[in-house]
Amino acid sequence: TDGGLTWGDRLPVPATFTGSHNAPTLHRLTGPDGVRRVFLNTSFPAMQGTTSEDDGHTWTDLRLMWPRNKWRRGFKGHAPMKSVIEIDSGRYLGMYHDHFEDDEGNQVVTPFTTVTTDGGLTWDDPIRVGSHLERPGAMPCEPCLLRAPDGGRIVALLRENSGKYQSLMMFSDDDGQTWSDMTEVAPPLTGSRHIARYAQDGRIVVTMRDTAEGSSTFGDFVAWVGTWDDLIQGASGQYRVRLLRNYGRPGDTGYAGLELLPDGRLLSTTYCVISPGESPLVISICLDLNQTDRLASTS
């Protein structure tokens, strides 16, 4: 209740929450009935969802988003949706990725979209997107969605998991029905598990685990600061800041949440190994762009 400074005790959850679940995400949705819900999405052993109508104090049972007989390509899910954005009143677009074998036995990684028309209670059958990638062997995954400042175009930032390319991006000008070819982003935006938010002054802040080849912060938790034009033009942006030094494996940080606080600071909650020899801890950190602007101007 105080912007991440302190946290309450763990809350009781349904018995269906028991077990292994992959990287659950939270999304605030308002359905056409006007009810505000928090939708929780997880993807192991398959895509599942649950909703809360009291800001997370109580939850419905965790259940499959699509029936077991639809566990064919695109219906199981490798990682949950970390971006869900409104496309019109009461309708929301989500995007995730999945792994499967193509007809020739090759391992394929590709994004999928799905839409809810009832505030996250049910979701349409997924649709495969992003097949127009002229980069052999690329593995686009964990997409992050962001709407243009004018409310039109949507950009998807994607982790590239083969290690052959920079991170990727693609655009939609029709609320996710069709998408452009994927292109590589500039090295400063190359990372895993991008999360993008607008700051109060209209700039974009993207948090991620740094995976840029040769980067001095490789494997650390970083934030990219830039504009919409920087993003769509593939520019480097204004600057990048290391939020947390990771003393663990390169993968021991980065699956984060990012929220804009009323005072203009951005709150990120992630996990990280902050001391040599320790295990990862859950950590909240506030990013003040006034402070980082001053630091960037003198560096």
Side-chain angles (χ1 to χ4, degrees), residues 46-265:
M47 292 285 274
Q48 299 179 86
T50 172
T51 56
S52 171
E53 297 183 2
D54 56 10
D55 288 333
H57 289 277
T58 60
W59 296 87
T60 61
D61 282 335
L62 194 63
R63 60 185 180 85
L64 293 175
M65 291 174 60
W66 304 288
R68 289 183 183 272
N69 62 5
K70 292 190 175 183
W71 281 16
R72 58 184 186 270
R73 294 180 180 179
F75 286 81
K76 191 170 183 180
H78 187 82
M81 299 179 287
K82 61 187 177 68
S83 292
V84 175
I85 62 173
E86 191 168 17
I87 50 179
D88 55 44
S89 181
R91 297 178 68 241
Y92 291 83
L93 171 74
M95 182 181 284
Y96 68 97
H97 80 276
D98 207 352
H99 293 215
F100 58 88
E101 287 188 358
D102 62 16
D103 295 337
E104 298 176 354
N106 301 311
Q107 184 74 7
V108 177
V109 181
T110 187
F112 289 79
T113 58
T114 179
V115 171
T116 178
T117 60
D118 54 17
L121 298 177
T122 61
W123 293 82
D124 292 346
D125 288 354
I127 298 173
R128 182 184 175 188
V129 298
S131 58
H132 306 295
L133 178 63
E134 297 176 358
R135 286 164 177 79
M139 294 184 174
C141 59
E142 295 180 350
C144 164
L145 302 176
L146 185 69
R147 177 84 70 174
D150 64 5
R153 172 171 283 189
I154 299 171
V155 63
L157 292 171
L158 300 106
R159 167 180 178 172
E160 199 294 289
N161 218 34
S162 75
K164 299 177 180 178
Y165 308 100
Q166 310 290 354
S167 292
L168 304 166
M169 66 177 176
M170 59 183 179
F171 302 97
S172 176
D173 293 309
D174 54 13
D175 280 343
Q177 296 181 61
T178 60
W179 293 85
S180 69
D181 292 349
M182 291 187 193
T183 59
E184 292 182 85
V185 303
L189 254 179
T190 292
S192 295
R193 202 73 171 186
H194 303 81
I195 294 291
R197 295 285 184 269
Y198 283 102
Q200 279 187 339
D201 63 6
R203 284 182 292 175
I204 297 170
V205 176
V206 181
T207 60
M208 59 190 164
R209 179 170 65 226
D210 182 8
T211 60
E213 185 176 356
S215 171
S216 61
T217 56
F218 183 87
D220 293 337
F221 186 57
V222 302
W224 177 92
V225 180
T227 66
W228 175 259
D229 286 343
D230 291 333
L231 190 63
I232 63 173
Q233 293 172 11
S236 294
Q238 294 179 329
Y239 57 82
R240 196 169 64 162
V241 57
R242 176 165 52 199
L243 300 176
L244 293 168
R245 183 189 295 274
N246 174 28
Y247 286 93
R249 300 174 300 109
D252 276 341
T253 191
Y255 281 47
L258 184 62
E259 299 296 333
L260 177 64
L261 301 180
D263 63 5
R265 295 178 301 157

Side-chain angles (χ1 to χ4, degrees), residues 2-7 195 197 205 207 221 243 256-270 283-288:
D2 56 10
L5 294 176
T6 62
W7 293 84
I195 294 291
R197 295 285 184 269
V205 176
T207 60
F221 186 57
L243 300 176
L258 184 62
E259 299 296 333
L260 177 64
L261 301 180
D263 63 5
R265 295 178 301 157
L266 290 116
L267 173 71
S268 178
T269 302
T270 185
I283 298 173
S284 287
I285 183 170
C286 275
L287 176 63
D288 184 339

